Amino acid sequence: MSSAYLLVSHGSRDRRPEIAMQQLAKLVCNKLPENHNALNGAHQVGIAALEMSPQPLHEQIQEFAKRAFCEGKLSQNENRLKIVPLFLLPGVHVMTDIPAEVALAQQTLGQDIMIELQPYLGSHPNLEKLLAKQIAAIKTEAWILLAHGSRRPGSKETVEAMAASLPAVAAYWSVPPSLESRVKELVAAGYKEIAILPYFLFAGGITDAIAASIEELKLQFSAVNFQLAEPLGASAELAELIWDLTDR
């Protein structure tokens, strides 16, 4: 059986997330079993973006599948393309947009290549351990876990559960409760040291905007010491979680 793997991210006009995705793809590629590594050129790890790409996702999927399988020789056995959505929340992109694009790609590819949509990254139970590692590195009195947020019903539940176990309070960039409102609550409760953990994959435009908003909060609350942690980033630990998801 021949398998290839496509990591799908949101996409950005900022170059940093794409570079990080390429780094992450290499780290995931290192997880391929030696006897599967590049058999007939079929075992590959690629990247694609849902948005901010010249091509729609279903066309990116089709092109990657052709490169991964057709430029080598199609296996006599089943050819499988496993797609892992690198999204942290079960929002509209994960629950609706990506499955629709996968269905379009499958229609075009036919039965020679079977596409398997894997669970999204944020559903992995060990993701919390990566966040806990970041939290352990910074000494503070209170933590805010800052996620992007989604208007899809039920999408906040995973963030709320993650925040409660870290422990931290949850805030969102695009929906309430906002970072500023959470900071006001913590300041009112008497906290003088507050750290923010961006629940994002990579540095980019939003993390820059978060850093700028924290500079404004420093002016507003001059007696409070604010610290900003790094987003997850491309790491061997994250690649391990992604590889685990390809087996689920």
Side-chain angles (χ1 to χ4, degrees):
M1 184 178 291
S2 298
S3 296
Y5 308 87
L6 188 62
L7 313 181
V8 177
S9 65
H10 181 275
S12 173
R13 291 187 181 90
D14 194 303
R15 283 281 296 152
R16 287 171 291 173
E18 184 184 347
I19 292 167
M21 281 290 291
Q22 291 169 353
Q23 293 169 340
L24 197 53
K26 287 182 181 178
L27 291 167
V28 173
C29 196
N30 292 338
K31 301 291 180 185
L32 292 174
E34 283 186 23
N35 61 327
H36 288 180
N37 209 351
L39 180 64
N40 289 331
H43 295 271
Q44 298 179 35
V45 179
I47 62 172
L50 180 62
E51 296 185 355
M52 313 297 176
S53 172
Q55 292 177 296
L57 179 59
H58 66 273
E59 290 183 5
Q60 296 173 65
I61 293 170
Q62 291 160 27
E63 288 197 1
F64 175 73
K66 288 170 184 174
R67 286 198 306 272
F69 299 111
C70 301
E71 287 180 7
K73 292 183 179 178
L74 281 171
S75 169
Q76 295 291 322
N77 302 315
E78 186 180 354
N79 294 283
R80 294 188 305 178
L81 172 54
K82 297 192 174 191
I83 294 181
V84 185
L86 299 194
F87 288 73
L88 298 174
L89 305 179
V92 174
H93 288 330
V94 166
M95 306 306 290
T96 303
D97 298 341
I98 293 176
E101 292 289 320
V102 167
L104 283 173
Q106 185 69 80
Q107 286 174 15
T108 303
L109 290 171
Q111 299 305 304
D112 286 332
I113 300 170
M114 297 305 298
I115 304 176
E116 296 180 3
L117 183 56
Q118 306 304 120
Y120 72 98
L121 177 59
S123 68
H124 199 295
N126 289 340
L127 190 60
E128 182 187 314
K129 292 181 181 177
L130 290 188
L131 299 179
K133 186 177 175 184
Q134 287 173 286
I135 279 182
I138 295 177
K139 186 177 179 182
T140 190
E141 294 176 349
W143 275 97
I144 297 173
L145 181 66
L146 180 59
H148 183 277
S150 169
R151 299 192 183 280
R152 183 179 177 275
S155 63
K156 286 184 178 180
E157 290 172 8
T158 54
V159 179
E160 301 291 339
M162 185 89 73
S165 64
L166 282 171
V169 294
Y172 303 90
W173 187 248
S174 62
V175 295
S178 68
L179 173 61
E180 184 178 4
S181 69
R182 286 303 200 199
V183 166
K184 286 179 178 177
E185 289 171 9
L186 291 172
V187 171
Y191 290 101
K192 299 291 187 186
E193 294 184 3
I194 300 171
I196 295 93
L197 178 58
Y199 191 39
F200 290 82
L201 274 181
F202 309 121
I206 293 180
T207 56
D208 287 350
I210 290 169
S213 69
I214 290 171
E215 290 304 313
E216 292 177 8
L217 289 168
K218 287 178 180 178
L219 296 174
Q220 191 175 347
F221 304 101
S222 56
V224 177
N225 179 36
F226 290 96
Q227 295 187 75
L228 177 61
E230 295 294 324
L232 285 163
S235 68
E237 294 93 338
L238 188 60
E240 185 69 43
L241 299 190
I242 293 166
W243 181 247
D244 189 48
L245 287 172
T246 66
D247 247 350
R248 299 198 170 203

